[in-house]
Amino acid sequence: QVRVVESGGGLVQAGGSLRLSCAASGSVRSINSMAWYRQAPGKQRELVAAITSGGNTNYADSVKGRFTISRDNAKNTVYLQMNSLKPEDSAAYYCKADAFTWSSLRAYDFWGQGTQVTVSS
């Protein structure tokens, strides 16, 4: 009953920028945190960045200084600003919301469908 939808992926040249958006909707009571993960073909899914509702952030070492995660709590939306993109950043990017529904007594993880980011050299 909680829907998570990503947008903003695309094809860019190395050194370029993209801004991903992720919105959670439906039976959302509250959100503890939201995060971005990515998965390239043949590789394991990895955490890229995460943010709590209070604004605490966490980044993978490979993206520190280049990516910035932010959120709009009123809209249950999280953003990922990606600058200085490299070919190795190419992957399917997935958004995850750690959220309570109106009927749940604990939080659950809800995943989006993913959005493709391709960085050419």
Side-chain angles (χ1 to χ4, degrees):
Q1 290 189 309
V2 175
R3 295 179 295 279
V4 178
V5 180
E6 307 100 329
S7 63
L11 173 64
V12 298
Q13 290 186 303
S17 298
L18 282 174
R19 182 173 180 261
L20 306 183
S21 298
C22 172
S25 62
S27 300
V28 180
R29 178 187 177 190
S30 62
I31 296 177
N32 293 327
S33 65
M34 298 183 76
W36 288 98
Y37 291 75
R38 67 186 181 188
Q39 187 168 25
K43 291 191 174 183
Q44 190 171 333
R45 187 172 297 187
E46 64 173 344
L47 175 68
V48 177
I51 188 167
T52 68
S53 293
N56 293 322
T57 60
N58 183 34
Y59 296 93
D61 288 340
S62 60
V63 306
K64 286 181 179 178
R66 300 188 298 121
F67 292 9
T68 302
I69 189 169
S70 61
R71 90 290 186 208
D72 184 339
N73 289 340
K75 297 180 179 180
N76 291 331
T77 298
V78 66
Y79 306 94
L80 185 67
Q81 179 66 46
M82 304 185 295
N83 298 325
S84 301
L85 283 163
K86 305 174 181 179
E88 51 262 44
D89 294 319
S90 296
Y93 283 71
Y94 298 89
C95 179
K96 184 191 76 174
D98 176 20
F100 286 88
T101 70
W102 286 106
S103 61
S104 70
L105 298 179
R106 70 173 181 88
Y108 293 86
D109 288 340
F110 299 92
W111 289 87
Q113 301 280 69
T115 185
Q116 182 67 41
V117 172
T118 302
V119 184
S120 64
S121 60

